Amino acid sequence: QFTDEPGQGAKEVQAYTLLAGALRRNPDGAARADAVMDQLVLNNPYSAEAHLSRAQYVATTTETANAKSNLDKAFALAPDDPDVIVSMAAFAIDEEDFARAQELLDRALEQFPERQGVYMPLARLASAQKDPQTGIEQLTRGVERADQVQFLLPMLLNLQLAGNDVAAAKATCDEM
């Protein structure tokens, strides 16, 4: 139980997340882990980070409606937070709401072109729409613009290899 007393971590989102993760690994810990994450949003009702963390946690269970509710709350609290926008888009991709995913990712790309985390779901969206070439284009653009590319390059390489573009794959390997 976290409290508002100094040093007790009531506002420390990561403390709840770590505790819930540890509890969830135990065979009988799922209910306790769920209670920890419920307490997170009760103690931090106006924190987008808390709602996003709970949404990400709940998404690992079978409660997708609950995850969506938490994502919606995080988005309402912080509509310009890049992690919230990208998480909303990822959920939209999972739900096959490709138009909403594209809208969110376009917004994220406009506001945060330097973040590699924006380009990965763009490629995932293209793949979900059976358009690997657009995925390659998005990842290539990300490699050119993002301030970090360590996750983009392997994704780009995989798409290039899947498309039998050996020359492009070799060039990507040379960048790694």
Side-chain angles (χ1 to χ4, degrees):
Q1 178 78 19
F2 298 108
T3 68
D4 283 329
E5 294 177 30
Q8 295 301 309
K11 304 293 183 211
E12 297 296 326
V13 172
Q14 189 174 20
Y16 290 91
T17 305
L18 290 171
L19 178 58
L23 289 169
R24 188 99 185 157
R25 285 190 279 279
N26 293 324
D28 59 345
R32 291 177 60 207
D34 292 349
V36 166
M37 295 308 285
D38 290 344
Q39 194 65 42
L40 167 63
V41 294
L42 287 173
N43 286 346
N44 300 283
Y46 304 109
S47 166
E49 182 185 10
H51 288 278
L52 178 60
S53 183
R54 186 166 188 282
Q56 291 168 337
Y57 167 80
V58 172
T60 65
T61 69
T62 58
E63 298 180 41
T64 56
N66 204 347
K68 178 72 168 103
S69 172
N70 279 273
L71 272 177
D72 288 342
K73 181 68 174 179
F75 191 71
L77 291 168
D80 293 322
D81 182 295
D83 295 327
V84 173
I85 296 169
V86 168
S87 293
M88 289 283 292
F91 191 86
I93 294 168
D94 290 343
E95 296 292 307
E96 297 184 1
D97 186 352
F98 300 141
R100 177 72 172 142
Q102 188 68 58
E103 172 190 322
L104 288 161
L105 291 171
D106 286 346
R107 180 176 168 187
L109 188 59
E110 182 180 314
Q111 292 179 318
F112 309 102
E114 76 288 352
R115 291 184 64 117
Q116 73 175 334
V118 173
Y119 298 93
M120 294 181 300
L122 280 165
R124 186 170 159 243
L125 174 60
S127 292
Q129 294 175 307
K130 312 271 189 271
D131 185 4
Q133 187 56 43
T134 297
I136 289 171
E137 292 167 7
Q138 294 290 5
L139 291 171
T140 300
R141 186 166 51 161
V143 168
E144 294 167 356
R145 293 182 179 176
D147 54 5
Q148 297 180 3
V149 298
Q150 71 268 26
F151 298 117
L152 298 178
L153 290 171
M155 287 182 75
L156 178 58
L157 177 63
N158 284 335
L159 285 177
Q160 291 166 332
L161 289 172
N164 289 325
D165 191 346
V166 177
K170 183 180 180 332
T172 299
C173 282
D174 291 343
E175 287 188 57
M176 294 175 106

